[in-house]
Each structure stands twice: as structure tokens, then as C-alpha cells.
């Protein structure tokens, strides 16, 4: 990889050759992939991008893959970025865009990391990939691996929503539902990976994953014609996504594609916000209980805390925590105002934006991109809880009229 220098530990600074099976530093620190931006600046232009396929692989000069590594089979990336003027008006914001990453092939942003894992496993000559996950890393890995003809072993906590488990079974993974927390699930997967030597797609352990995730911010900037918004808001669990988003932005800045950097808005659930608490108090992060219905961000022991905290701080970012009620309200709002259906963790970023508008932190002078990270069909039970049940009557016009009258529905 001529464009990649090495993997560098974010804790001690030690560097490692960027081999496909790279994991963490000897000191336990997470590695960051370091690029040769001078080289990339000579090989990648905005013009060149215009002719490329609409997948995450269009940015291959900024991705840690060999020149001859084939793109993975499923169409990952290039999800729509919708401008939402009515919702912006309603919230009192200058401009608002929604990046609907629930439109990836297995319906979450995690496809970006899993496609990268599949590409790197191919480079490593591996036949089997494994991970633990709150659900979406698992289903995206199972789907992207199935398409590439690879086997998967998946560990999920037993609380994982049915839609995600159904995806895993459909994609032919060997699935272990662990009766315990995400932390317990992670530890069992780690022991199994150590024992059988599978290719490791565990969050943060594998430094290539957030390089896949960063393609979401590369896309946002290209879709905005390289005009930088004031803020990018998203939900945070392990912290890999927000670290990836920041990495993508810094890449673009380093090669001169953008001339400034936006600030990040890190949104967590009140019942599980170890990273936001660390930022707010200035103290080191400490584990928390996993007490939220937003299962994808119910992460009490964040795996990528170092990189995530660095990203938020470097960007001059904001942190905001939202209640489960506020998450459910955002689910309804995004659905009804924008036609975008997100899972609870998927809409948590937007819930944070709404809250910051209500607090007067954000306003008419601000432009914001809010990333919806996962699709609502993955967790139908919570969507019904948030948005209610339909009118249920026998097929009778009189009963329909009465039902409308009872509910004060005036037909236009
Ligand atoms: C994984 C996930 C997140 C959070 O990403 P992290 O890298 O864990 O911070 C947010 N939303 C959804 C839908 C996810 O699946
Ligand atoms: Zn180190």
C-alpha cells in the first residue's frame, strides 16, 4: 500500500507495518492508520471521483487496501443526503441535512466497517470472520461476508432486537446469543477468536474498521459539493463511528479538498453516556450501566474511547445526552417530517440536535448534518412503542366514521 505509512498507537505512538491482520498495540492502545497525504494529493482529484462507482470504494486512495483488492460485492455507501428545510424551520435551525445511512444493504452504517473487514480478510487469505456486537456490526458482517463467500461466527447479547437476529440467521452465520451484557459478549468472542484464530472484526481492535466508517463523512462532504457545515451530529456507543467521521474530515482537509473542519456533536443516551460524561466533567471515562432502549449504543465499556474523546475534543465538539423519551420523539419526528425511518440509536443524533435547538445552543445561524445510523425495521417493537398502534376496527364504514370522530380526525 504505497499510500499507507503504518498503524500508529494513539496511546504510546509506537508504529506497526500495516499488515491485513493488524490489531492493537502491545501496550493495549488502539492503532490509527497513517497515510502519505503527499502521495494521495498527487493521485486523487475531485474530477477523478466524478467518474467512479457510487459505493464507498470510490475513495480507494483514502482507504487502507491494496491497489488490486477487489471491491466487496454488496453496494455499501452513497446513501442519500436529504436537505430538510421544513424540519430545520420547525427546529429553528439555519440548515439541516439528514444522511440516511439506514439505506445500506443490511440497513446500518456498520456495513461500511464490515465491507472493509471483508476486504481485509480477503487480503489476509482468511476464510472465517468473527465478531461480537450489539447487533448491527454482526448483521452487517454476516451479510457482507455471505456475499463474498466467507463464513462468520457471531456473538450478540441476548437482548439484541429480533430484526437483527433474523438478519444473522438469514445470512447463514453461526450465531451465539450470550446471556449477559455486551461486555460479557465481547469477552467470550475474544476468547473464541484467540482459540480458533478467526479474522477479527471486533470494534476498535481492528484498526481498519473505522477507516471504512469514515467513508460516511467523505460522502457527506462530496454530496455537499465540499461546502463544510457547522456541525455533524451522530449517536455514539463504542466511539468508532465518531472517530471515523472525524478521520474522514481530517483526511479531506489534509489533501486540500475542504478548507475548514466542522464541529462534531456526540449524542448518547442518558442511561449510558460514559464518553459524554468524560467530556462534560473533564475526568477519565468510567464504565456505566447499559440502560437505554437504543440497543446499538447501549455500550457501558466503550471500545474506542481514546479515539472518540480525541475526535470530540479536537473538533471543538458538543456533547448532549437524551432520554429514551426524547429518542422516541425523534423517531416519530423524523418519520413524520422527513419520511426517514430510523432505529432508536439511528435517530439519537437527531434527538440531540432537537434538544440543542430547544436549549438555544443551536439556532438560525447554524447548519447541521444529522446522520441516521440504522433503519427502523430492525427494531419494530420499539418503533410501535414510540409511534403507537393503528386504528383497529372491522371493515365497516359506520365504524370508520365513528373511529375518526372519536379521535377528532377531520378528513381533508
Ligand atoms: C454501532 C451503532 C452506533 C454507534 O457506533 P459506535 O461506533 O459504536 O459509536 C450508532 N447507531 C447505530 C444504529 C449503530 O449500529
Ligand atoms: Zn501503544
Amino acid at each position: 500500500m504505497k499510500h499507507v505509512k503504518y498503524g500508529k498507537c494513539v496511546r504510546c505512538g509506537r508504529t506497526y507495518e500495516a499488515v491485513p491482520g493488524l490489531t492493537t498495540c502491545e501496550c493495549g492502545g488502539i492503532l490509527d492508520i497513517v497515510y502519505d497525504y503527499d502521495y494521495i494529493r498527487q493521485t486523487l482529484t475531485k474530477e477523478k471521483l466524478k467518474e467512479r462507482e457510487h459505493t464507498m470504494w470510490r475513495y480507494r486512495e483514502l482507504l487502507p487496501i491494496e491497489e488490486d483488492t477487489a471491491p466487496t460485492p454488496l453496494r455499501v455507501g452513497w446513501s442519500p443526503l436529504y436537505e430538510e428545510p421544513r424540519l430545520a424551520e420547525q427546529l429553528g435551525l439555519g440548515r439541516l441535512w439528514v444522511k440516511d445511512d439506514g439505506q445500506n444493504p443490511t440497513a446500518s452504517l456498520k456495513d461500511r466497517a464490515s465491507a472493509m473487514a471483508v476486504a481485509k480478510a480477503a487480503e489476509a487469505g482468511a476464510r472465517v470472520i468473527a465478531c461480537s456486537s450489539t447487533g448491527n456490526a454482526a448483521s452487517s458482517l454476516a451479510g457482507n461476508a455471505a456475499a463474498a463467500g466467507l463464513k462468520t461466527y457471531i456473538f450478540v447479547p441476548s437482548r439484541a432486537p429480533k430484526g437483527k437476529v433474523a438478519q444473522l440467521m438469514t445470512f447463514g452465520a453461526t450465531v451465539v446469543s450470550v446471556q449477559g451484557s455486551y461486555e460479557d459478549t465481547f469477552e467470550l468472542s475474544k476468547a473464541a477468536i484467540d482459540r480458533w484464530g478467526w479474522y477479527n472484526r471486533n470494534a476498535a481492535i481492528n484498526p481498519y474498521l473505522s477507516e471504512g466508517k469514515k467513508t460516511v463523512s467523505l460522502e457527506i462532504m462530496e454530496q455537499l459539493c465540499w461546502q463544510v457545515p457547522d456541525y455533524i451530529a451522530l449517536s455514539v456507543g463504542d466511539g468508532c463511528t465518531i472517530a471515523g467521521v472525524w478521520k474522514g474530515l481530517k483526511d479531506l482537509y489534509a489533501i486540500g479538498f475542504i478548507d475548514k473542519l466542522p464541529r462534531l456533536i456526540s449524542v448518547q443516551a442518558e442511561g449510558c453516556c460514559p464518553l459524554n460524561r468524560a467530556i462534560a466533567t473533564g475526568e477519565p471515562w468510567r464504565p456505566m450501566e447499559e440502560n437505554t432502549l437504543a440497543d446499538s449504543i447501549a455500550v457501558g465499556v466503550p471500545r474506542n474511547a481514546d479515539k472518540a474523546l480525541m475526535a470530540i475534543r479536537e473538533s471543538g465538539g458538543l456533547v448532549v445526552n437524551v432520554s429514551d423519551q426524547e429518542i422516541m420523539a425523534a423517531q416519530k419526528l423524523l418519520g413524520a417530517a422527513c419520511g426517514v425511518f430510523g432505529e432508536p440509536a439511528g435517530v439519537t443524533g437527531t434527538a440531540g440536535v432537537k434538544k440543542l435547538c430547544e436549549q438555544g445552543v443551536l439556532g438560525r445561524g447554524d447548519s447541521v448534518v444529522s446522520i441516521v445510523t440504522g433503519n427502523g425495521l430492525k427494531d419494530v417493537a420499539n418503533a410501535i412503542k414510540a409511534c403507537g398502534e393503528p386504528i383497529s376496527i372491522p371493515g365497516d364504514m359506520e365504524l370508520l366514521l365513528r373511529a375518526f370522530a372519536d379521535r377528532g380526525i377531520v378528513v381533508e
Side-chain angles (χ1 to χ4, degrees):
M1 296 188 284
K2 274 185 257 168
H3 60 305
V4 173
K5 287 187 175 166
Y6 38 68
K8 183 175 181 191
C9 177
V10 297
R11 203 173 284 169
C12 76
R14 193 173 156 179
T15 61
Y16 294 83
E17 189 191 340
V19 295
L22 199 61
T23 56
T24 47
C25 180
E26 270 172 22
C27 82
I30 306 287
L31 301 184
D32 181 41
I33 303 300
V34 178
Y35 294 87
D36 181 347
Y37 291 122
D38 290 331
Y39 179 77
I40 295 169
R41 219 180 288 129
Q42 287 161 16
T43 52
L44 182 64
T45 63
K46 292 178 182 175
E47 279 306 307
K48 250 190 202 171
L49 281 176
K50 289 186 181 152
E51 290 139 37
R52 301 258 174 104
E53 58 172 352
H54 286 109
T55 76
M56 62 181 265
W57 301 112
R58 68 197 273 104
Y59 305 109
R60 58 162 48 239
E61 286 89 346
L62 286 168
L63 295 174
I65 52 168
E66 301 288 350
E67 239 166 84
D68 57 355
T69 297
T72 49
L74 296 182
R75 191 274 308 153
V76 176
W78 208 256
S79 61
L81 180 75
Y82 299 120
E83 180 154 19
E84 303 287 359
R86 270 179 295 121
L87 185 55
E89 177 63 32
Q90 197 178 327
L91 295 177
L93 263 182
R95 293 182 83 177
L96 173 67
W97 293 265
V98 169
K99 174 76 167 164
D100 186 7
D101 237 45
Q103 290 198 36
N104 275 303
T106 77
S108 82
L109 189 150
K110 295 287 194 300
D111 278 325
R112 299 176 186 274
S114 290
M116 179 59 72
V118 167
K120 295 309 285 184
E123 287 180 3
R127 304 290 314 145
V128 181
I129 316 184
C131 78
S132 64
S133 153
T134 58
N136 284 334
S139 56
S140 65
L141 178 62
N144 281 277
L150 299 174
K151 252 184 94 54
T152 48
Y153 288 86
I154 305 285
F155 299 79
V156 286
S158 52
R159 65 153 200 258
K162 283 239 158 30
K164 300 181 185 182
V165 177
Q167 285 184 299
L168 291 172
M169 302 314 293
T170 304
F171 295 140
T174 301
V175 185
V176 182
S177 174
V178 179
Q179 294 157 15
S181 66
Y182 173 46
E183 172 68 5
D184 300 330
T185 308
F186 185 92
E187 291 303 329
L188 181 60
S189 78
K190 185 169 176 292
I193 289 167
D194 286 347
R195 182 175 187 123
W196 285 295
W198 301 320
Y199 191 81
N200 189 341
R201 187 250 178 265
N202 270 338
I205 301 298
N206 180 329
Y208 298 116
L209 302 177
S210 60
E211 300 298 312
K213 285 186 165 185
K214 82 183 177 189
T215 57
V216 72
S217 57
L218 303 179
E219 277 174 30
I220 289 170
M221 290 318 314
E222 191 179 0
Q223 288 168 320
L224 289 175
C225 301
W226 315 106
Q227 299 301 302
V228 181
D230 297 320
Y231 296 93
I232 296 181
L234 68 157
S235 57
V236 174
D238 272 314
C240 303
T241 312
I242 197 163
V245 163
W246 186 237
K247 180 71 176 289
L249 294 165
K250 285 205 301 184
D251 282 353
L252 293 176
Y253 187 76
I255 62 169
F257 276 31
I258 56 177
D259 57 6
K260 58 177 179 172
L261 291 161
R263 298 170 70 182
L264 300 176
I265 300 176
S266 165
V267 191
Q268 294 204 286
E270 281 175 0
C272 190
C273 54
L275 295 174
N276 280 359
R277 184 171 69 179
I279 296 279
T281 62
E283 287 172 15
W285 73 271
R286 279 173 290 115
M288 270 185 91
E289 279 187 46
E290 297 173 354
N291 191 7
T292 170
L293 62 74
D295 66 289
S296 303
I297 53 166
V299 180
V301 181
R303 294 287 149 196
N304 216 342
D306 288 347
K307 271 196 200 175
L309 294 172
M310 221 183 311
I312 299 166
R313 291 196 175 113
E314 268 181 30
S315 82
L318 304 175
V319 298
V320 57
N321 301 321
V322 290
S323 67
D324 282 359
Q325 289 304 323
E326 288 167 324
I327 291 171
M328 289 196 283
Q331 195 170 25
K332 209 169 166 175
L333 181 67
L334 266 175
C338 310
V340 171
F341 187 13
E343 65 168 277
V347 304
T348 297
T350 311
V353 172
K354 179 167 180 279
K355 190 164 186 171
L356 291 172
C357 289
E358 286 160 3
Q359 292 174 346
V361 178
L362 298 177
R364 301 266 172 216
D366 298 310
S367 58
V368 180
V369 173
S370 185
I371 305 175
V372 172
T373 48
N375 191 283
L377 286 173
K378 284 172 171 281
D379 184 0
V380 174
N382 273 319
I384 295 280
K385 199 165 148 193
C387 304
E389 298 278 353
I391 297 166
S392 174
I393 52 167
D396 181 299
M397 191 61 191
E398 283 307 314
L399 294 175
L400 180 62
L401 292 174
R402 195 181 311 155
F404 278 7
D406 288 350
R407 289 165 181 78
I409 296 172
V410 181
V411 179
E412 291 174 32

